[in-house]
Each structure stands twice: as C-alpha cells, then as structure tokens.
Amino acid sequence: MAKKVILDLDTGIDDALALAYTLGSPELELIGVTATYGNVLVETGARNDLALLELFGRADVPVFIGEPHALAKDSFEVLEISAFIHGNNGIGEAVVPDAQAAPQEQGAVDFLIESVKKYGDELVIIPTGAMTNIATAIKKDPTFAENAHIVFMGGALTVPGNVSPWAEANINQDPEGADIMVRNSNDITMIGLDVTLQTLLTYEETKQWRALGTPAGTFLADATDYYIKAYDTTAPHLGGCGLHDPLAVGVAVDPSLVTTLPINLKVDTEGATRGRTIGDETRLNDPVKNAKVAVAVDVERFLAEFMERIGRVARGL
Ligand code: BDR
Ligand code: CA
C-alpha cells in the first residue's frame, strides 16, 4: 500500500522538483499540498502548487493555504536572495498558466491536524519551507506532535548555514516555529544542508528533460536551469544546484538513502546564532532522542532515483 504524504511547500524551484518527485513515486500517495511562505508569499506558493499539479496531470490533488508569516512576526516579505535564486514568481520566471482549480476553503493547519487524526502511522508530512504551519498545528492540537511523522528539509548541523554562518533558509524564516517543531515532535527526521548540498544537479541532466519536448519536461528544464544559474553565482564551488527539497521526499520513500544521527534538537532563537539547529544541551543525557539528523547520503543512488522519478513526470504521467 502506498504511503500517504502531505507536502508543505513554499514553491520554489526545488519545491517544484519535490512535487514532481512525489508524483513520480509509486510508493507515495499525495493526499494534499499545504502552502507555506519563504521562497514566495503563501498565496504565490499555493498558486504555483495548483498550476504545477495541473501541468503534471494531477489537478485532483487539493491545495490548502497556510499561515502567512512567522509566529513572532505580523507580516512577511520575500528576501532579495530568495527572489534571486527562485525568480520573482518562485518558479524561475517560467510561465505556467493559472490552474482551473482554486485552493480549498479549509486552511492548511486544520487539514494537517485532521489528516494526522485520520491516517496516523500511514501518513508522512514533508515540510520544505517555513515551519509555521507545523508549529501552529502543534500548538492547536496537543495530539498532533505525538502522532505525526515528519521528514523536513531544513537546518544545518555539521556545516554552516546558507543565509548566515549558522542559519539555513527554511529555519531562518521562523526560528521560533522550527524550535517548537523539533523539540516536540515524536518522530522527526531532519534533511539539512549537511546532505542536500551533496546532491547536486547540472545542465547535463536538465538537457534530458528538455529533449523530451513535453510541457512538463520543458518547464522542469527551464525552471531548474534558472536555479542552477543562480547557484553558479552564489555557490560556484558546488558545480550544480542543491536538490534540497527532493531529497526529503527521497528519504520519505527510502530512509536507507541517508545515515542519521539520533539527537534531541533545538533551534537557537536568540543572539547571533539565531536560526541555528543544534543539540539541546539540557536533553543531552536523555536516553530518548526524538529526532534523527541525516549526516551522510548515498549520492549516486539518490540521483538515479531522482532522475527516474522526475523522468516519469517529465514524460507525462
Ligand atoms: C531551502 O530553502 C529554500 O530556498 C529551498 O526551497 C529549500 O527548501 C534550502 O535552504
Ligand atoms: Ca523549499
């Protein structure tokens, strides 16, 4: 039986790749997409999710709008660096028409809570943007953190951050929210920069999607080329773009793609290290560790899985 999945996305070019990875994985059944903010405003993210679901032939998947800003703030503006990496529209300035479907009336937080109650261990939640929807669900329903299974993209344990020497972008959007999530969730796996900056894509791979001549293949190639070009400027030493969000989906399908460290995590919310993901010194000697942090990845196997799954979507499902 396929594992049920909710993607919590700030779509976002690598979020779009995570969406395609999910749809191209027969082991997963996508029951909904919840929109968060980060690379884009929450409304733009939801628009992109609906448009891409239609482009990928899955307009039947419902999209739910989430919280518009961090717990400790009352508004959100897209950072200049996010717009540079993902384009002003979040999808590398690629033109994808608006979908016919509209977002659901139910909000993302209520959908998340309801789904965990309904599906329990059959469901995995994959957050790949600001963690505010998850933190709000935890605050609203005390049973959520106990029963949800979460594999999130964010954080950096053994490497520096990508928005500051300590902070990774998704955690940096809402450190208080991320802290609530990592401290309280019973089952949580962190897929951070430690591993996602080892899984890189180049123009060699995107060429294969463009050569298919399909609308989905052309979009995936155009948007990803925009992303690779941004990485050429911001991180030329890498020689490609980081497959951050798709790796979280890859691990949800097959946890053996990464090696994990059991740990009790926290997020620094004060001072210069605000946004840092690190072990909680007050729970160091607690024999029960609630989190697993990916510290090594089978790069070759993941890239093969990635190309196979995105290839299915690029060819037209
Ligand atoms: C993360 O930040 C966002 O820009 C990406 O979509 C990814 O989720 C990488 O730090
Ligand atoms: Ca993202």
Side-chain angles (χ1 to χ4, degrees), residues 10 14-15 39 128-129 170 245:
D10 62 327
D14 60 326
D15 302 80
N39 296 323
T128 69
N170 288 341
D245 299 348

